[in-house]
Amino acid sequence: MAKELYDLGEMPPLGEIPEKMHAWLIRAERFGKPTEAFQQEVVNVPPIADDEVLVYVMAAGINYNNVWAGLGIPVNVIGARNKAGEPEDFHIGGSDASGIVYKVGKDVTNVQVGDEVVMHCGQYSRDCAWVKSGGDPMYSPTFRIWGYETNWGSFAQFTKVQAQQCMPKPKHMNWEEAASYTLVAATAWRMLHGWGANAIKKGDVALIWGGAGGLGSMAIQIVKAAGATSVAMVSGEDKFDYCMKLGAKGCINRNEFDHWGMLPHWKDNAGYAKWMKGVRAFGAKIWEVLGEKRAPNLVFEHPGETTIPTSIFVCETGGMVVVCAGTTGYNATVDLRYLWMRQKRLQGSHFANTEQSNQMNELALRGLLDPCLSRAFTYEEIPVAHQLMYENKHPHGNMAVLVGATEFGQGASGQPPVAIVHPTLPKGDVHTTPHPYPMSEPLPSIAEAEAITIADDGTRVKDLMHRGIIACAPDDTIAQVAKLMIDKEIHAVVVMDGGKATGVVSQTDLVLARQGRSPEEARALLAGAIMTPGCATCDAEMLLSEAVSLMTSRRMHRLVVTENDQPTGVISMTDVVRKLIGA
């Protein structure tokens, strides 16, 4: 007779399913930092559907998504599932795992009881019309990340997964190694191999951001296996040896450069020239590493906001910048001239489909993909591992925790097919870059996200605006416009032509016009030549909060206010600040 519950590490007889299991649970009432959010509990072993598999978990991988799950932001994953009709009031996380198949649904043909498997984290409905028609499951509205958007992840004695998630475990890897690589490696595989004509190929050059991280360490090896060359971006020279042992041609220390961030405005001659000097020096560093003047055919991106302008600039004509995250922020800026005139591609990429995950795993089975396990933890340390991530004190590479395995190093049943170097990170290595921003729900559930309550005191633009338009004509000189600003103590003048507002000349426009010209040349310029065409306007009845959002989205400090579609005044950020501080 089967026991109701087995102790942790006490493996049930093969195929015997107990009623209950040990698991680490997150509940909404304790959302917060990982050491508070995660607690050990005993729950029922979940039933499986016809296309599902129940796996006895030997080890589980650690990813940032369950730091977010524990915090309850940006999505309350428990609440989202309850809203969709799932009854469980808890979350069992874990989106990477290795283990042994203990039960299969009646429609499962690719695995059987007793198989040793690793699992990728992509789930989708086999009944989805898009999937049934042969569409990429990654674009299916049913696609979810197992162990984050779905329940019953790998931080438990048993996990339930779809059969298509199961892949053969590399025999030369122990349980914790095998549990650590699939999420990041499959993500890297799709980024590098998933985009048609721009897929990495023999002879290409790839620039890999975060070369010593979980994603980057996988990308370097995938690039090498394709016969291409990689240049790794890292945060210090102490990681050069690590990346080069993985297969990088060379490395660049990003701290040698200071041009990172959003692009200066294209009118800002001095600022743009300074940025251009920095990005060209960076490009020259790539040449130095390669030993020839070549640009990367593919740039492997995930920092986002601070690096996208550089990535697009240094990418080869006809090449691709592929991005899967925005760890430094989401509002990346692009000089479109380099995108369209050099016909470059900026491609988004998210995880991988079943076929791509198995292609990646084939590389691991052949011994050509080291899991880059930087640290392994015991089952009791699952909250600690996530807390290190939360505090940004975790090492580079990948991490895993034991679940059913009783000791580190268990599970290897064969020799590696080929001998490869197992690089180690510097002693005491920790992250120095900011931890990732919380990701939004993957495609296409933005419309299904929880509504955000906006606090607003009801103030309207008309309550703070300055009535009256101080204007100039298109053929007024800058000297005349500047005197008008000084005399009226204002920061911008509306350009009126034939009774219509056609543009704005701001103090910034005046300053930018002076760059590269003598004072006499600048004073002689006409307002129509330097103005910002068109007027950013708002209606007097608009909520003040909406006007502020309009200004910040356009990176400006003032709006022309209209009433009955006619310009009648101006509102500026100064007016908003005055209201906020009560001055």
Side-chain angles (χ1 to χ4, degrees), residues 481-546:
V481 174
K483 186 176 187 304
L484 185 60
M485 288 184 183
I486 293 169
D487 290 345
K488 299 291 186 179
E489 295 186 343
I490 56 175
H491 300 97
V493 173
V494 177
V495 182
M496 300 290 291
D497 188 7
K500 294 183 178 181
T502 59
V504 173
V505 175
S506 69
Q507 289 184 343
T508 301
D509 291 324
L510 296 182
V511 171
L512 294 178
R514 170 66 176 81
Q515 293 181 350
R517 298 183 178 91
S518 69
E520 292 75 19
E521 291 172 329
R523 281 195 290 266
L525 289 172
L526 301 182
I530 70 157
M531 74 178 189
T532 300
C535 282
T537 64
C538 65
D539 190 89
E541 294 294 331
M542 179 182 282
L543 286 170
L544 181 62
S545 59
E546 294 176 1

Side-chain angles (χ1 to χ4, degrees), residues 341-401:
M341 294 179 72
R342 302 288 170 81
Q343 301 178 76
K344 303 181 183 186
R345 178 179 185 175
L346 176 58
Q347 175 67 53
S349 187
H350 178 59
F351 191 59
N353 59 37
T354 307
E355 181 181 7
Q356 292 163 339
S357 296
N358 278 277
Q359 289 169 338
M360 172 280 298
N361 200 54
E362 182 62 30
L363 208 62
L365 293 170
R366 290 164 52 199
L368 299 177
L369 191 70
D370 188 284
C372 294
L373 181 67
S374 58
R375 183 172 174 183
F377 300 81
T378 65
Y379 180 78
E380 290 75 18
E381 293 177 312
I382 281 179
V384 175
H386 287 87
Q387 186 72 21
L388 287 173
M389 276 192 159
Y390 173 70
E391 297 176 3
N392 212 35
K393 295 179 180 178
H394 57 298
H396 288 76
N398 297 308
M399 301 193 298
V401 298

Side-chain angles (χ1 to χ4, degrees), residues 299-313:
V299 182
F300 185 91
E301 255 281 357
H302 47 89
E305 188 168 295
T306 65
T307 56
I308 282 287
T310 294
S311 293
I312 291 175
F313 182 86

Side-chain angles (χ1 to χ4, degrees), residues 28 31 69 72-91 144-145 148-151 440-442 445-451:
F31 278 158
I73 58 172
V75 178
N76 176 343
V77 293
I78 301 169
R81 291 197 292 263
N82 290 162
K83 187 176 180 180
E86 295 184 27
E88 293 83 14
D89 60 354
F90 59 81
H91 172 70
R144 300 289 183 270
I145 295 294
Y148 175 61
E149 294 173 293
T150 75
N151 208 349
S440 58
E441 292 182 87
S445 51
I446 293 172
E448 301 166 11
E450 295 179 43

